[in-house]
Amino acid sequence: MKEFLLLIRENVNYGNLSMEEMQKDIQKHVQWVETLIEKGHFKEGNPLDSNGITLKNEMVTDGPYIETKECVSGYYFLLAHSLQEATELAKGCPDFKCGSTLEIREILKTDE
């Protein structure tokens, strides 16, 4: 199978969830990942800290640009036979169902 990177872009206000809402969201992700594991489509995934640095045109800024409404909040490495299959798998991501933007990219092997 091929490897695909699934990037999750969420509204920058995602951090304003209550603890209860956050726990529900985490549980939805756990259930989705368990399904992926059972079917052999999961390699790895993690949320990302909201703090970070953006580099562009020799400028360094804290976090995402102020004018952006979304930031990368997490990633998954999916295993699939094709981009189409990875797309179908990604449709099960709880964040997709909540309006987040998902980007799926095949990871090209450079050591072969």
Side-chain angles (χ1 to χ4, degrees):
M1 276 201 247
K2 299 175 182 179
E3 293 182 14
F4 294 86
L5 176 64
L6 168 63
L7 291 173
I8 302 170
R9 288 191 174 87
E10 293 184 273
N11 186 305
V12 293
N13 294 323
Y14 177 76
N16 295 334
L17 292 179
S18 70
M19 286 301 290
E20 183 178 318
E21 291 169 323
M22 199 175 298
Q23 284 301 107
K24 286 180 183 178
D25 184 60
I26 290 169
Q27 187 56 39
K28 288 177 187 176
H29 278 270
V30 168
Q31 290 170 343
W32 181 59
V33 167
E34 287 173 350
T35 302
L36 291 173
I37 291 170
E38 288 172 14
K39 297 180 180 181
H41 293 292
F42 180 78
K43 180 177 179 182
E44 179 183 343
N46 282 298
L48 298 173
D49 188 66
S50 60
N51 293 319
I53 298 294
T54 299
L55 303 166
K56 185 175 181 177
N57 297 328
E58 298 187 29
M59 290 178 39
V60 178
T61 59
D62 292 335
Y65 289 108
I66 294 171
E67 61 271 7
T68 61
K69 294 181 181 171
E70 291 184 321
C71 68
V72 177
S73 64
Y75 70 92
Y76 288 102
F77 284 114
L78 302 178
L79 302 172
H81 296 286
S82 66
L83 180 58
Q84 292 76 21
E85 183 179 23
T87 301
E88 289 304 311
L89 294 170
K91 288 179 182 178
C93 178
D95 290 323
F96 177 66
K97 296 174 181 179
C98 295
S100 294
T101 301
L102 305 182
E103 181 177 344
I104 306 164
R105 306 284 299 274
E106 182 177 348
I107 298 170
L108 301 176
K109 300 292 183 185
T110 58
D111 58 349
E112 294 179 1

